[in-house]
Amino acid sequence: MKILMVYPSHSWYMRIYRKIKKIPNSSLGTKHGIGYIINYAKSNDEIVDFLELESVSWKEFKRIVKNYDIVGYSIISMNYIIAMKAIKINKEENPNVTIIVGGSILQFLLKNMKTTI
């Protein structure tokens, strides 16, 4: 089983936050939760890859997601729209994929999602 963990971009927000708070780029990150999941899965001999969505084009993303059985997304409020677009594309390119969603937006999604993606 091949697993891909995706971190959707919210770089516009982070660039503004870093500038306001005068924080160096290397000092701020929000990927620790997804990192725990990746490390746990790898410790159980699973094949797990990580993709930061802003590092690839949509064309590349479409090609990449075809190759995975499970794709997990870490969603926060700042990357919700881009994450939902990525999930939609993911399901179009790989209809049999299992999508897993986590992150701080999860409670909101559970209360407000009216349809299945």
Side-chain angles (χ1 to χ4, degrees):
M1 177 173 4
K2 284 186 71 179
I3 303 168
L4 175 66
M5 299 302 292
V6 177
Y7 189 80
S9 170
H10 65 282
S11 59
W12 64 270
Y13 170 82
M14 296 307 282
R15 280 194 300 270
I16 292 168
Y17 184 79
R18 287 180 181 121
K19 188 174 184 177
I20 291 169
K21 296 292 186 179
K22 298 180 180 159
I23 300 170
N25 287 341
S26 60
S27 299
L28 187 62
T30 56
K31 302 172 197 79
H32 59 278
I34 206 168
Y36 293 143
I37 294 168
I38 291 169
N39 283 332
Y40 178 78
K42 284 186 174 185
S43 73
N44 286 290
D45 299 322
E46 295 292 344
I47 298 168
V48 185
D49 294 322
F50 174 76
L51 175 66
E52 190 152 10
L53 193 54
E54 70 180 4
S55 69
V56 297
S57 68
W58 286 115
K59 184 177 179 179
E60 291 171 300
F61 178 72
K62 288 177 181 182
R63 180 185 52 76
I64 291 167
V65 296
K66 289 180 181 182
N67 301 312
Y68 291 90
D69 304 302
I70 298 173
V71 180
Y73 291 84
S74 178
I75 304 176
I76 58 175
S77 58
M78 283 76 65
N79 67 20
Y80 173 77
I81 292 171
I82 196 88
M84 297 309 285
K85 179 179 179 177
I87 291 169
K88 184 175 189 259
I89 290 170
N90 197 155
K91 287 300 276 186
E92 290 170 356
E93 296 299 319
N94 188 353
N96 296 319
V97 69
T98 299
I99 301 286
I100 299 171
V101 175
S104 61
I105 195 94
L106 188 58
Q107 191 63 31
F108 171 81
L109 290 175
L110 291 173
K111 288 181 181 178
N112 296 295
M113 195 174 255
K114 294 181 174 48
T115 60
T116 304
I117 296 172

